[in-house]
Amino acid sequence: MTDKPEDVPDRPLRRGWTTGACATAATRAAYAALLTGEFPDPVTIRLPGGQAPAFALAWEARGPDIYAAGVVKDAGDDPDVTHGALVIATVSRGAPGSGVTFRAGEGVGTVTKEGLPIPPGEPAINPVPRRMMSEAVAELAAAHGDAGDVVIEVSIPGGAGIALKTWNPRLGIVGGLSILGTTGIVVPFSCSAWIHSIHRGIDVARANGIGHVAGSTGSTSEQAVQRLHGLSDLALLDMGDFAGGMLKYLRRHPVPRLTIAGGFGKLSKMAQGFLDLHSGRSQVDFNWLADRMAELGASPDEIDRTRHSNTANQVLTRAIAAGLPLADLVAARARAVALDTLGGCGTDVEVLVFDRRGGLEGRAGFAVPGKVLILGGTTEAAELACSIDGMSVVTSLAGRTRAPAVLPGEVRIGGFGGAEGLAAYLRDNAVTAVIDATHPFAATISRHAEEACRQAGVPRLALVRPEWVAGPGDRWIGVDDMEAAAAAVPGGARAFLTVGRQELGPFASRADAWFLARVIDPQEPPSPNIALVTGRGPFDLDAERALLADHGITVVVSKNSGGGASQPKLAAARELGIPVIMVRRPAPPAGPCAGTVDEALEWLHRTLRSGRSTWTCSGS
Ligand code: NAP
């Protein structure tokens, strides 16, 4: 597993051995010792290309019927995080007829996601190293008349920590490193290991139904794009300098949406037509940038200064000062190059130019702005559906009320079947953004939305209206849940319940009190001590005051829903000196959130359209 390439040294580069080759050498030594009692040292193996390198053993151990040998990995001049790691194979007898069984020992990962050459649940030992180890066992077994039924456990002490510096966590390989290599040989700075990882990232994203992936030139732009779009780790392709390696693979293995994110210099090179953005292999052309400045109407002096600039960032800083959208133009040109390379495979592309601190400087948006799913059931959700234009909108309702408000756009009704069902809906319907505008007490659907959007790689915003806060004259009693609310109602009270029809259960057993419950649809009262009144917000203060007085209400029970529609009951209670038992909210959903419909619209605009704004979200 290769760490990020930096600069290539001038001298000839030394080749090294893959973890797969080291594990094979260790296996051969340990199995030979199991058969003969002696560890061959050095131990020679055969690589798929026919070479036969010898490895010195760095470690050996024996027990009854179990032998272990270790080889230190020499990665040559490759910038490899596993260089110097001890690769150990522990070989023991397997059940008769079981053949070779592989196990992941300490520091070797286990596959948990679809899309890799090894299925989930298996040790992260790739097919070629498995074959090399199996062949080494078969050859020795034949020579010694053994059945060759063995268990090979591969371990790399400290591998779990090293693995955090590799792509493994992102590819869903947990607990350690992978045993890799198709030739056994590490070709230094070949770039192929890096490009392979990009390809595996695309495979994993596709296998997990991720509809929107992002390739970034570095970690700042990667973090910025992840924050902007709320993408899951599985959606992040470590593109680095290899725009071509990523785009050419996507052409054959398309994903619906791709964001390319990077700094101005690298993306200028891409806009010029380069697909390898490494500083040693492509250069920013200041004449080209000067021509772009001219295209934007820069003064002759600015154009000349651009031509004689030292760095791309200098050019950008001056363009910004002159009010010229150079970064947008570069993004647009880079997007055209990307689309051209993708060859009409159906992947829509967005290009984002970030500064060194992750601020958005330029953008060329997707051709199709997208489809928004609003998880509704609230006034804000309805208002939002009425306010979005220029993109398709679907509002989803749980189906709790018989005659929901009429909304523009598509309306779907009923549950999705949990987080998995919602993730499948997002994929099947090519949803590009989700706004969870459900009620603050609808915690289950919000949790499902969070999980489903993570799984499907769809950006999500929670629209959570601010909660009510007690003011002068309010007599609130705060409780955590409905059981506590029912317990807090004084004996003999006449309580007004505004908690929803599904929450009446705990009050039915309080036979020592009388309740008036407000519900949206007419229904049978759940118990003799609960009378029902129907009503749908917004409510007004005069009517609320009259309702409390007419029914001789002595206490109000409410959820802390927030919002204006049902607030008048609280004002009426305050005026009449009636206490309010206020049920506190569950924890808000994690991730980006907005408090108003306008903020949610701005987020949507920023996420899906080509415009820019300064909107930031607390908790994002
Ligand atoms: P919940 O406990 O969070 O969700 C229960 C289940 O209902 C969810 O797992 C989901 O079923 C389904 N569901 C909820 N909201 C949905 C939506 N917008 N579209 C499709 N399916 C949805 O929700 P709740 O507290 O019962 O509230 C239900 C709905 O009423 C919400 O949409 C909410 O906005 C609205 N509402 C709730 C309250 C309240 O006090 N809780 C007040 C006013 C309005 P699956 O798992 O099958 O997908």
Side-chain angles (χ1 to χ4, degrees):
M1 189 60 61
T2 304
D3 206 352
K4 295 193 179 211
E6 289 180 356
D7 288 315
V8 184
D10 294 335
R11 63 183 165 74
L13 297 170
R14 207 165 54 82
R15 294 185 163 208
W17 308 113
T18 61
T19 42
C22 297
T24 304
T27 297
R28 189 176 175 97
Y31 183 46
L34 180 76
L35 295 172
T36 67
E38 296 297 326
F39 286 93
D41 186 8
V43 58
T44 303
I45 60 165
R46 201 173 354 267
L47 299 180
Q51 308 92 328
F55 292 80
L57 293 191
W59 188 83
E60 44 186 75
R62 66 181 75 212
D65 281 338
I66 182 161
Y67 287 78
V71 167
V72 172
K73 184 182 163 180
D74 174 3
D77 275 330
D78 199 64
D80 190 325
V81 290
T82 59
H83 179 70
L86 180 65
V87 181
I88 296 175
T90 303
V91 177
S92 56
R93 294 244 170 244
S98 60
V100 175
T101 307
F102 293 98
R103 296 223 176 111
E106 183 205 338
V108 170
T110 299
V111 174
T112 65
K113 301 267 184 218
E114 298 286 353
L116 294 167
I118 299 295
E122 278 288 308
I125 303 172
N126 267 16
V128 173
R130 284 178 188 236
R131 202 167 61 235
M132 284 162 62
M133 286 185 257
S134 299
E135 282 169 9
V137 166
E139 196 185 312
L140 284 174
H144 291 85
D146 191 60
D149 298 320
V150 292
V151 177
I152 304 173
E153 183 184 283
V154 184
S155 48
I156 302 180
I162 303 172
L164 299 177
K165 297 184 207 157
T166 72
W167 282 277
N168 275 13
R170 194 165 286 178
L171 295 174
I173 296 170
V174 300
L177 291 159
S178 302
I179 304 300
L180 297 172
T182 48
T183 60
I185 301 169
V186 176
V187 180
F189 294 100
S190 65
C191 306
S192 72
W194 187 296
I195 292 171
H196 259 92
S197 293
I198 297 174
H199 296 174
R200 294 299 77 77
I202 293 169
D203 291 345
V204 170
R206 282 164 51 93
N208 287 278
I210 304 263
H212 181 181
V213 294
S216 310
T217 56
S219 53
T220 305
S221 41
E222 184 177 86
Q223 283 161 18
V225 75
Q226 183 171 36
R227 223 173 20 244
L228 177 69
H229 286 314
L231 296 174
S232 76
D233 284 351
L234 285 185
L236 303 177
L237 309 175
D238 218 327
M239 177 181 83
D241 290 329
F242 304 110
M246 177 185 76
L247 291 166
K248 287 172 193 164
Y249 195 75
L250 279 170
R251 182 167 61 201
R252 283 173 286 124
H253 307 89
V255 170
R257 299 185 134 218
L258 164 71
T259 298
I260 297 177
F264 180 71
K266 296 261 181 202
L267 292 181
S268 298
K269 293 198 273 184
M270 193 173 164
Q272 286 166 230
F274 290 110
L275 293 175
D276 182 341
L277 309 178
H278 191 273
S279 55
R281 299 184 289 266
S282 57
Q283 297 300 325
V284 173
D285 179 347
F286 292 98
N287 285 322
W288 185 90
L289 281 176
D291 291 347
R292 302 290 75 73
M293 288 290 270
E295 197 178 325
L296 292 168
S299 66
D301 180 46
E302 273 303 346
I303 297 169
D304 195 50
R305 288 171 71 178
T306 302
R307 236 177 264 292
H308 298 100
S309 295
N310 289 330
T311 67
N313 274 320
Q314 260 176 2
V315 177
L316 179 61
T317 307
R318 282 205 305 272
I320 292 171
L324 299 174
L326 181 63
D328 286 342
L329 181 57
V330 160
R333 292 295 175 94
R335 180 171 181 272
V337 170
L339 285 170
D340 196 42
T341 312
L342 287 166
C345 70
T347 297
D348 196 358
V349 177
E350 170 196 57
V351 175
L352 305 175
V353 179
F354 289 105
D355 66 19
R356 292 211 169 94
R357 294 184 317 281
L360 189 59
E361 296 286 7
R363 183 170 197 168
F366 290 111
V368 181
K371 185 183 221 177
V372 186
L373 174 68
I374 301 173
L375 297 172
T378 57
T379 345
E380 289 79 3
E383 209 182 304
L384 194 58
C386 297
S387 316
I388 297 172
D389 59 356
M391 50 186 101
S392 357
V393 179
V394 183
T395 302
S396 173
L397 302 172
R400 301 276 191 265
T401 51
R402 280 180 217 155
V406 177
L407 295 169
E410 193 186 321
V411 175
R412 67 161 300 288
I413 296 179
F416 294 95
E420 297 291 329
L422 178 51
Y425 177 91
L426 298 178
R427 291 180 194 125
D428 295 347
N429 293 276
V431 171
T432 45
V434 170
I435 298 187
D436 172 8
T438 55
H439 192 270
F441 278 78
T444 307
I445 185 71
S446 292
R447 213 170 44 248
H448 290 177
E450 196 185 323
E451 172 61 27
C453 288
R454 193 169 46 242
Q455 276 182 29
V458 174
R460 171 191 57 94
L461 176 83
L463 171 52
V464 186
R465 51 170 99 128
E467 58 186 359
W468 292 317
V469 179
D474 281 324
R475 295 171 55 202
W476 290 10
I477 301 147
V479 294
D480 282 335
D481 53 34
M482 223 41 81
E483 281 69 29
V489 173
R494 293 176 67 81
F496 180 42
L497 300 181
T498 59
V499 293
R501 70 178 161 90
Q502 296 198 304
E503 307 275 13
L504 299 178
F507 302 94
S509 52
R510 284 296 308 270
D512 58 334
W514 179 84
F515 298 95
L516 177 67
R518 183 155 63 200
V519 291
I520 292 180
D521 294 314
Q523 64 181 82
E524 281 301 306
S527 64
N529 63 336
I530 300 183
L532 299 181
V533 55
T534 55
R536 188 197 282 261
F539 300 99
D540 80 55
L541 179 58
D542 289 341
E544 295 293 66
R545 197 189 293 115
L547 185 121
L548 298 185
D550 291 351
H551 290 89
I553 296 300
T554 58
V555 62
V556 172
V557 182
S558 173
K559 293 173 173 172
N560 193 335
S561 303
S566 55
Q567 201 169 20
K569 69 187 169 207
L570 303 176
R574 183 189 312 128
E575 282 181 16
L576 298 171
I578 296 174
V580 176
I581 298 172
M582 186 64 80
V583 183
R584 294 184 196 97
R585 289 181 174 190
C593 61
T596 65
V597 169
D598 280 350
E599 280 178 11
L601 286 170
E602 181 149 5
W603 175 85
L604 199 57
H605 183 68
R606 195 168 146 77
T607 304
L608 297 185
R609 309 292 294 264
S610 55
R612 266 181 283 150
S613 81
T614 52
W615 190 84
T616 52
C617 182
S618 57
S620 66

